[in-house]
Amino acid sequence: MLMAHPAVLQNLVEQFDTLRILRAEDGDAEVRQRMDDIAYTLCVATGTRDIDAALVAARHRLPGARPQDDSLLTP
């Protein structure tokens, strides 16, 4: 599987978090589509199928992440 560059992941996570904070899912169609596009891209870039798993996986790959810490993952 191809791995996205950490800078790309960081940018996508920041964009998604910003839209989530601004409650973009309640906004107009264009803004909701942007949020959906970012979510899809994160899923593809991390090899996951839902946005929550994609965010965990992306944050796990960012600089400063503790790779041995899997406490966020369920058994």
Side-chain angles (χ1 to χ4, degrees), residues 3-6 9-10 13 42 45-46 48 51-74:
M3 299 295 237
H5 190 279
L9 290 175
Q10 178 72 38
V13 169
L42 274 167
T46 58
T48 57
I51 186 59
D52 294 324
L55 289 168
V56 169
R59 288 184 176 118
H60 203 306
R61 293 185 192 156
L62 296 178
R66 296 173 27 206
Q68 283 71 33
D69 181 13
D70 63 353
S71 61
L72 294 176
L73 304 177
T74 57

Side-chain angles (χ1 to χ4, degrees), residues 11-24 35:
N11 182 277
L12 290 168
V13 169
E14 287 174 1
Q15 286 184 57
F16 190 84
D17 286 344
T18 299
L19 289 171
R20 185 178 268 175
I21 288 167
L22 296 173
R23 300 187 52 80
M35 191 172 189

Side-chain angles (χ1 to χ4, degrees), residues 11-12 15 19 29-39:
N11 182 277
L12 290 168
Q15 286 184 57
L19 289 171
E30 185 177 333
V31 176
R32 284 193 315 270
Q33 183 61 52
R34 179 66 183 143
M35 191 172 189
D36 289 344
D37 290 346
I38 294 169

